[in-house]
Amino acid sequence: MTETVDGIQSVVVERELACPPEKLWRALTQPHLIAEWLMQNDFAAVVGHRFNLLGDWGGVLDCEVLAVEPNRSLSYTWDFAHEDPAYALKSTVTFTLTPTPAGTRLRMEQSGFRPHQKQAFHGARAGWQAFFGKLEQVAARGD
Amino acid sequence: MTETVDGIQSVVVERELACPPEKLWRALTQPHLIAEWLMQNDFAAVVGHRFNLLGDWGGVLDCEVLAVEPNRSLSYTWDFAHEDPAYALKSTVTFTLTPTPAGTRLRMEQSGFRPHQKQAFHGARAGWQAFFGKLEQVAARGD
């Protein structure tokens, strides 16, 4: 967790995975693989591409690709529109891949949680732990 | 899965759980237990009570309790507001508990998926399988 002076918080998850950056990049950018560890989607690794992430329970996130550096970093918006400002979320997710002797260190930062959005913030902390667990399996399988 | 003449589809999941209806009812109606198997929430087992279910990734469902029959049945709306009609969801979730010699048969029906909402429908089928798995653990623990 990081916190900036205006109180905007980030969720940060960092883990070393036993697969090379190229395999991890596939799992982060191929729609059918993203669907296995994150959510159904119409993602494409093209800056400016708008896409949706679809939760299993009917919810939808509005996203746009901000930056793509193959095998190294990926960034997209992760927004949720809601009339109640406690629930409306404007955030950015950034993945950074660093090769290591054993595989790849993956860092994910989701920034944009406002001080009153404690539930979304704590939910994201739990959610990303679960997403990372599944991502590791999908990336290691490498099909 | 069931389908009505106007094409509105339901997701149905039915499973026998090794715990008495009273324990299962607790897991279905106590907010701190619901949070463990479903989502963070401000649920109360009172007809007309409005509440939200909060996804780990920032999404929010708008819900209202429709029917409460302790240890036997529970029904609430499960709506998701979105400007795109493909994503906007108006559905109803109904749990029905039937005692069996080994425990309780639990039936969940989520009705309201329109023919063009294939993604939400398939997502819900996968989602409820996962929710039931966690619910079974929470109910069996019985604290």
Side-chain angles (χ1 to χ4, degrees):
Chain A
M1 181 185 87
T2 61
E3 190 169 349
T4 59
V5 282
D6 58 355
I8 303 294
Q9 290 187 316
S10 292
V11 170
V12 177
V13 178
E14 198 163 348
R15 200 180 290 186
E16 189 165 5
L17 307 181
C19 65
E22 294 72 20
K23 270 196 177 177
L24 188 53
W25 183 256
R26 272 180 51 83
L28 291 173
T29 57
Q30 297 275 330
H32 71 286
L33 298 178
I34 298 169
E36 286 189 50
W37 67 268
L38 185 59
M39 283 174 251
Q40 294 182 73
N41 66 93
D42 53 338
F43 178 86
V46 175
V47 172
H49 175 70
R50 291 174 185 274
F51 64 102
N52 293 112
L53 292 170
L54 312 177
D56 272 353
W57 44 280
V60 181
L61 291 172
D62 302 308
C63 306
E64 180 179 347
V65 179
L66 299 177
V68 177
E69 215 179 330
N71 305 325
R72 297 183 60 179
S73 74
L74 172 67
S75 180
Y76 46 79
T77 62
W78 176 291
D79 293 352
F80 181 73
H82 198 277
E83 59 189 16
D84 185 336
Y87 296 143
L89 178 65
K90 283 196 172 293
S91 72
T92 300
V93 170
T94 302
F95 298 97
T96 309
L97 293 69
T98 308
T100 64
T104 309
R105 176 163 293 280
L106 177 64
R107 180 182 193 275
M108 186 295 304
E109 173 166 357
Q110 181 175 12
S111 63
F113 297 96
R114 295 174 181 282
H116 63 276
Q117 299 186 306
K118 284 193 171 46
Q119 286 180 306
F121 177 73
H122 290 292
R125 284 208 296 192
W128 281 108
Q129 293 293 343
F131 292 148
F132 260 55
K134 289 192 280 185
L135 169 61
E136 187 159 22
Q137 293 175 3
V138 172
R141 213 183 54 214
D143 58 342
Chain B
M1 180 186 86
T2 60
E3 190 169 349
T4 57
V5 283
D6 57 354
I8 303 294
Q9 289 186 317
S10 292
V11 171
V12 177
V13 179
E14 198 163 348
R15 201 181 289 185
E16 188 164 5
L17 306 181
C19 66
E22 295 72 18
K23 270 197 177 177
L24 188 52
W25 183 256
R26 273 179 52 81
L28 291 174
T29 57
Q30 298 274 330
H32 71 287
L33 298 178
I34 298 169
E36 285 189 51
W37 67 269
L38 185 59
M39 285 175 251
Q40 293 183 73
N41 66 92
D42 53 337
F43 178 86
V46 176
V47 173
H49 175 70
R50 291 174 185 273
F51 63 104
N52 292 112
L53 292 171
L54 311 176
D56 271 354
W57 45 280
V60 181
L61 291 172
D62 302 308
C63 307
E64 180 178 347
V65 179
L66 299 178
V68 177
E69 214 181 331
N71 305 326
R72 297 184 59 179
S73 73
L74 172 68
S75 180
Y76 46 80
T77 61
W78 176 291
D79 293 352
F80 181 72
H82 198 277
E83 58 189 17
D84 185 337
Y87 296 143
L89 178 66
K90 284 198 172 291
S91 72
T92 300
V93 170
T94 302
F95 298 98
T96 309
L97 293 69
T98 308
T100 63
T104 309
R105 175 162 295 278
L106 177 64
R107 180 182 193 276
M108 187 295 305
E109 174 166 357
Q110 182 175 10
S111 63
F113 297 95
R114 295 174 181 281
H116 63 275
Q117 298 186 308
K118 283 192 171 49
Q119 286 180 306
F121 177 74
H122 290 293
R125 284 207 295 192
W128 280 109
Q129 292 292 344
F131 292 147
F132 259 56
K134 289 193 279 185
L135 169 61
E136 186 160 22
Q137 293 175 5
V138 172
R141 214 184 54 215
D143 58 342

